[in-house]
Amino acid sequence: MVATQLTPCSEEKIREKVDKLYHGLRKKAVCVPGIDENTRMPEKPSWYNEEKFKRAQQWVRTYFTSVFIGHMAGLSLGFMMPSLVPPMAHTQSHSKVSKLFRRYLNTVLYIKLWYENDPYDEDGIARQAFRKVNFLHKFIIKKINPPKEEREEDNPLWLSQYDMVLIEWSIIAPILLNPKACGIHDMTRSQAEDLIHYWAITTHNVGIKEEFNIMRSGNYDEAYYICKRLLDKDIRPVATALKAPADVGFEEGLKMTLSLQPLCPIFNLSDLMRHWAVVWSLPVDSKITWKYQFPHMPVAWVLDYLCQFRAWHWIMNVVFRYIMVRSGKQMDEIAEDFDKQYPDNFMPFELSKELKPQLVLQY
């Protein structure tokens, strides 16, 4: 494997487009529900490019584990965003380690299905997974916000289009901004743009509108700089202050790394979270002691050195796929074990009653 440097153009060349998209996210997207409550799943868009989509799926097969490392790292840190915390508190789906395990193992398995199947096969398993995710999001939007007829057009909502974009950012930003820190050492511009198109389609399928979709352009430079803008203007200020409810969200991210540790025998996932805080210069620290201690490889050494070798990726992919499938089959047993080890309910439901979206968006 030959390491290559994937470098974006000068930001000045695309600043106007990034400014417009970012302004729309902070001013308009916060007032729009994350998914149309009357739609089961959006139709195939006219801009769908099957060739690029399938090339991205093929590329992910090569870097399967590294891609999921990026997803897990981004999600664990993205949890701290204040507007994401009250919906998690309200649904109580994130209130215990066992619940986090069920929720995010299912998320990992759904993303695996999406990477491996045709989302527009009407009877296919990927489309069924999209429908389940969309139903869950619509249920949360309806439950936590005022009734549709009582909502004011200019008032921010919980689980808005902006919040959906924050989740999209968490999933894709590590790979686009710092692919080598995910263990991907030879990503080309063409491969990056195939992946950008893939996630533009995937996030379209979970309800993100074209005008707000940070991957919609399909252009590497634009996607890179909007991800960087969100990191600089939204993520980093929140991490620097880490005031309520961001502090609760940060602890939630730590608990998520604990819940998904059974998927990762190579290194400690809280150390992965810490590694990425360093990569992104976020002033937060994370450390969880996993109860079943055994020697873990240093995160940076695995990603910086071992992942230079294609054979290592092949080994990791075989092991990780096996563990994912096995964990899915043993979900009930693992969750029951988590309940015994970590019985506490640590996400206060009251958060969803005490806060308003416009207040938590002031960062």
Side-chain angles (χ1 to χ4, degrees), residues 51-155:
E51 184 178 347
K52 290 174 73 70
F53 190 89
K54 289 186 174 180
R55 278 205 309 263
Q57 289 180 314
Q58 183 62 45
W59 180 83
V60 168
R61 291 189 185 98
T62 301
Y63 294 102
F64 186 79
T65 307
S66 284
V67 166
F68 276 90
I69 285 172
H71 295 342
M72 288 188 284
L75 283 169
S76 66
L77 289 165
F79 267 146
M80 77 177 77
M81 296 307 293
S83 57
L84 297 179
V85 178
M88 292 190 292
H90 190 89
T91 61
Q92 289 289 284
S93 59
H94 297 63
S95 60
K96 299 176 69 175
V97 173
S98 60
K99 290 184 177 182
L100 281 165
F101 168 72
R102 288 183 182 276
R103 178 70 183 272
Y104 286 96
L105 176 58
N106 276 321
T107 297
V108 166
L109 292 174
Y110 282 163
I111 293 175
K112 176 179 180 292
L113 290 176
W114 296 343
Y115 275 133
E116 296 174 348
N117 295 276
D118 178 2
Y120 297 113
D121 177 358
E122 184 63 34
D123 299 316
I125 192 169
R127 195 171 183 88
Q128 294 173 29
F130 277 118
R131 285 173 174 158
K132 289 179 181 178
V133 171
N134 291 351
F135 175 82
L136 173 64
H137 288 164
K138 285 187 287 186
F139 172 78
I140 296 172
I141 290 169
K142 185 176 181 179
K143 187 175 182 182
I144 196 171
N145 289 298
K148 195 172 183 179
E149 59 274 10
E150 295 179 15
R151 298 174 194 166
E152 297 183 20
E153 186 175 336
D154 296 330
N155 277 3

Side-chain angles (χ1 to χ4, degrees), residues 58-329:
Q58 183 62 45
W59 180 83
V60 168
R61 291 189 185 98
T62 301
Y63 294 102
F64 186 79
T65 307
S66 284
V67 166
F68 276 90
I69 285 172
H71 295 342
M72 288 188 284
L75 283 169
S76 66
L77 289 165
F79 267 146
M80 77 177 77
M81 296 307 293
S83 57
L84 297 179
V85 178
M88 292 190 292
H90 190 89
T91 61
Q92 289 289 284
S93 59
H94 297 63
S95 60
K96 299 176 69 175
V97 173
S98 60
K99 290 184 177 182
L100 281 165
F101 168 72
R102 288 183 182 276
R103 178 70 183 272
Y104 286 96
L105 176 58
N106 276 321
T107 297
V108 166
L109 292 174
Y110 282 163
I111 293 175
K112 176 179 180 292
L113 290 176
W114 296 343
Y115 275 133
E116 296 174 348
N117 295 276
D118 178 2
Y120 297 113
D121 177 358
E122 184 63 34
D123 299 316
I125 192 169
R127 195 171 183 88
Q128 294 173 29
F130 277 118
R131 285 173 174 158
K132 289 179 181 178
V133 171
N134 291 351
F135 175 82
L136 173 64
H137 288 164
K138 285 187 287 186
F139 172 78
I140 296 172
I141 290 169
K142 185 176 181 179
K143 187 175 182 182
I144 196 171
N145 289 298
K148 195 172 183 179
E149 59 274 10
E150 295 179 15
R151 298 174 194 166
E152 297 183 20
E153 186 175 336
D154 296 330
N155 277 3
L157 301 170
W158 296 123
L159 200 55
S160 66
Q161 286 281 312
Y162 172 71
D163 294 325
M164 294 289 284
V165 166
L166 287 178
I167 297 169
E168 178 183 30
W169 179 92
S170 298
I171 290 172
I172 192 63
I175 300 169
L176 291 186
L177 294 179
N178 305 89
K180 288 179 67 175
C182 298
I184 302 168
H185 288 252
D186 61 350
M187 191 177 200
T188 67
R189 177 175 290 263
S190 175
Q191 290 165 345
E193 292 188 340
D194 288 344
L195 189 65
I196 288 165
H197 180 72
Y198 172 89
W199 275 103
I201 291 296
T202 299
T203 49
H204 168 84
N205 290 341
V206 295
I208 297 182
K209 295 179 178 294
E210 290 186 34
E211 63 185 297
F212 304 128
N213 196 325
I214 59 174
M215 298 292 110
R216 172 62 185 92
S217 71
N219 178 271
Y220 167 69
D221 300 308
E222 292 178 34
Y224 177 92
Y225 281 113
I226 189 59
C227 284
K228 187 174 185 299
R229 180 72 59 85
L230 285 164
L231 174 62
D232 293 339
K233 297 292 186 180
D234 297 49
I235 312 298
R236 189 168 288 118
V238 167
T240 300
L242 209 63
K243 61 184 180 181
D247 55 342
V248 176
F250 179 72
E251 289 300 319
E252 194 75 9
L254 279 171
K255 294 296 195 301
M256 189 199 80
T257 65
L258 177 61
S259 74
L260 290 182
Q261 187 62 52
L263 295 180
C264 187
I266 297 175
F267 44 74
N268 188 304
L269 282 181
S270 70
D271 288 344
L272 175 68
M273 188 177 174
R274 172 181 288 183
H275 173 70
W276 273 90
V278 172
V279 169
W280 280 340
S281 301
L282 302 179
V284 292
D285 195 15
S286 56
K287 183 67 177 179
I288 279 186
T289 300
W290 175 238
K291 288 201 173 185
Y292 301 123
Q293 281 296 316
F294 55 91
H296 289 104
M297 294 184 184
V299 172
W301 184 71
V302 172
L303 299 176
D304 292 346
Y305 178 70
L306 287 182
C307 285
Q308 293 184 61
F309 304 102
R310 191 64 59 86
W312 175 252
H313 281 277
W314 185 87
I315 293 168
M316 284 201 306
N317 293 346
V318 170
V319 173
F320 187 50
R321 285 176 184 275
Y322 169 76
I323 292 173
M324 287 173 70
V325 173
R326 186 195 64 184
S327 297
K329 292 178 180 178

Side-chain angles (χ1 to χ4, degrees), residues 348-359:
F349 175 77
E350 291 73 20
L351 273 177
S352 62
K353 297 293 186 181
E354 296 171 353
L355 297 169
K356 299 296 181 184
Q358 52 265 46
L359 295 178

